[in-house]
Amino acid sequence: MGQERLTGSDEDPRVTELRAAVSRLRRELAGLRVEFPDRGIAEDELAALDAMAVSGRPEIPRLRRSLLLVAGAIGSVSALAPRLREVRIAVDLFGESPDH
């Protein structure tokens, strides 16, 4: 896909971007004082996205599923929209899975 490794690092730059985007959204969500029914789902799926990124070889279908669950859980919280968009962009860096 033309992505280059970071100098002095074996980490895929797409993984680096995903980890950073997920981290920013998790911080914003943690700082949000508003409670909403699906907050736990969002937190669980963000943790799953982070774990996939840490593994270094995330499964694209699972990334997309988690993204959809996070978006569904926090989509109505406008304060989180910019960070959610960053996560979506980071997931999109992985493109389609080879079997699609």
Side-chain angles (χ1 to χ4, degrees):
M1 192 171 161
Q3 298 287 328
E4 294 180 23
R5 305 273 184 212
L6 298 174
T7 304
S9 173
D10 288 335
E11 186 168 81
D12 183 331
R14 299 173 301 172
V15 170
T16 303
E17 183 58 34
L18 179 60
R19 291 181 70 192
V22 167
S23 177
R24 289 188 295 265
L25 180 53
R26 288 178 89 181
R27 278 194 308 273
E28 292 240 353
L29 180 59
L32 191 66
R33 295 176 187 248
V34 176
E35 285 300 319
F36 50 95
D38 294 330
R39 185 181 191 127
I41 293 169
E43 290 170 344
D44 289 348
E45 289 304 317
L46 286 169
L49 281 166
D50 186 55
M52 284 184 272
V54 168
S55 78
R57 300 192 51 86
E59 296 176 26
I60 296 166
R62 180 69 175 107
L63 283 177
R64 293 189 184 285
R65 180 181 177 278
S66 287
L67 175 62
L68 286 173
L69 288 169
V70 170
I74 66 173
S76 64
V77 183
S78 61
L80 299 175
R83 297 296 183 213
L84 179 58
R85 186 173 26 262
E86 290 174 1
V87 172
R88 181 191 55 80
I89 291 167
V91 168
D92 286 347
L93 291 173
F94 289 89
E96 290 294 323
S97 60
D99 58 321
H100 286 89

